[in-house]
Amino acid sequence: MSFDPDRVTTITFDSYGTLVDVEAATAALADVVDDPDAVSRRWRTRSLAYAFVANQIDAYQPFYEINRDALQYALDAHDAAVTADERDEVLAVYHELEVFDDVRDGLEGLVDAGYDCYVLSNGNPEMLESMVEHADIEELLEDTISADEVETFKPDSEIYRHAAARTGTPIDEIAHVAAGWYDVRGANHAGMQSVWVDRKGKPWGPFDGEPDLTIETFDELVETLA
């Protein structure tokens, strides 16, 4: 598919890795483990795996809890002698992640062009509230939509259909913006147009199609839509 800006009336954005930078978690790990990069990669991979499996076996937990369990696994796998308090201090970084440099100006440009902007995230409401507040983007968003509202995670189609219902927008008039490839494919499968944010110049995998639009920064999205 090719991206059709004329069809878009509403834009949803993933949160972690799309609006805010999760690399701060690696920096926090550096205070308590010898190989923070490796632990961080395993943490992120296991966190996503838990979410995917939870969808299949009806084992939903709020994402903060899944993320905590994934962090504990990563620490154990690397034989890291980290106390529960130290682990929770690292985990708490998710409440204070920094927004990417292009996000505020990009959101402002989209709002000025008449688009309603929402966050659509696996994060539970408390995580999203602190993320939006710390990033100082609340006035640019109509609302946040959490997987917790339907107790299922991306890329299950239910969460994208729920977003369409919450925004009052036909699903084919929504463009979903995400850095995660699975989120891009999930949005497409549910009937949204997809926008992949590729800030690091990574290759797109050959599995099951491509994004409708690929951007490096939110500025490009504004140019395309506005």
Side-chain angles (χ1 to χ4, degrees):
M1 294 179 62
S2 59
F3 190 73
D4 183 359
D6 292 335
R7 284 171 42 212
V8 178
T9 60
T10 297
I11 308 171
T12 55
F13 295 86
D14 179 47
S15 53
Y16 304 109
T18 301
L19 294 177
V20 292
D21 189 357
V22 296
E23 293 301 320
T26 303
L29 280 166
D31 294 332
V32 294
V33 299
D34 293 331
D35 192 352
D37 290 328
V39 175
S40 182
R41 285 194 299 270
R42 183 164 289 191
W43 174 16
R44 179 65 173 163
T45 300
R46 182 55 62 123
S47 183
L48 291 174
Y50 284 165
F52 295 160
V53 172
N55 280 355
Q56 298 302 313
I57 65 172
D58 195 23
Y60 176 83
Q61 299 179 52
F63 191 71
Y64 199 77
E65 296 177 20
I66 279 183
N67 214 26
R68 177 199 61 209
D69 292 346
L71 173 57
Q72 186 63 59
Y73 170 80
L75 293 169
D76 291 344
H78 286 267
D79 297 320
V82 175
T83 68
D85 286 344
E86 289 172 330
R87 178 204 65 196
D88 290 346
E89 287 180 10
V90 172
L91 188 63
V93 169
Y94 266 77
H95 289 296
E96 299 178 345
L97 296 173
E98 295 302 322
V99 68
F100 286 108
D101 291 341
D102 59 312
V103 167
R104 286 195 189 91
D105 286 346
L107 288 175
E108 287 177 358
L110 294 169
V111 170
D112 288 346
Y115 293 97
D116 291 332
C117 297
Y118 294 79
V119 171
L120 173 59
S121 174
N122 279 346
N124 43 290
E126 296 81 4
M127 293 177 71
L128 298 183
E129 181 180 359
S130 60
M131 181 205 75
V132 169
E133 181 179 355
H134 188 75
D136 193 25
I137 55 175
E138 185 173 9
E139 75 281 359
L140 300 171
L141 299 170
E142 293 293 319
D143 206 349
T144 60
I145 304 168
S146 168
D148 201 61
E149 297 169 22
V150 288
E151 297 192 349
T152 191
F153 294 114
K154 301 173 188 174
D156 191 294
S157 291
E158 182 178 358
I159 188 171
Y160 303 99
R161 291 194 294 263
H162 174 68
R166 282 269 272 106
T167 63
T169 309
I171 200 164
D172 63 351
E173 294 182 13
I174 298 175
H176 183 61
V177 182
W181 69 269
Y182 64 92
D183 197 3
V184 170
R185 299 307 304 134
N188 267 143
H189 179 68
M192 296 177 175
Q193 293 195 77
S194 62
V195 181
W196 182 40
V197 185
D198 181 24
R199 288 192 170 91
K200 297 182 178 180
K202 293 183 177 180
W204 178 263
F207 174 71
D208 192 37
E210 297 183 352
D212 295 315
L213 176 67
T214 298
I215 59 174
E216 292 184 3
T217 70
F218 279 25
D219 299 334
E220 294 174 43
L221 182 60
V222 175
E223 291 175 6
T224 301
L225 286 170

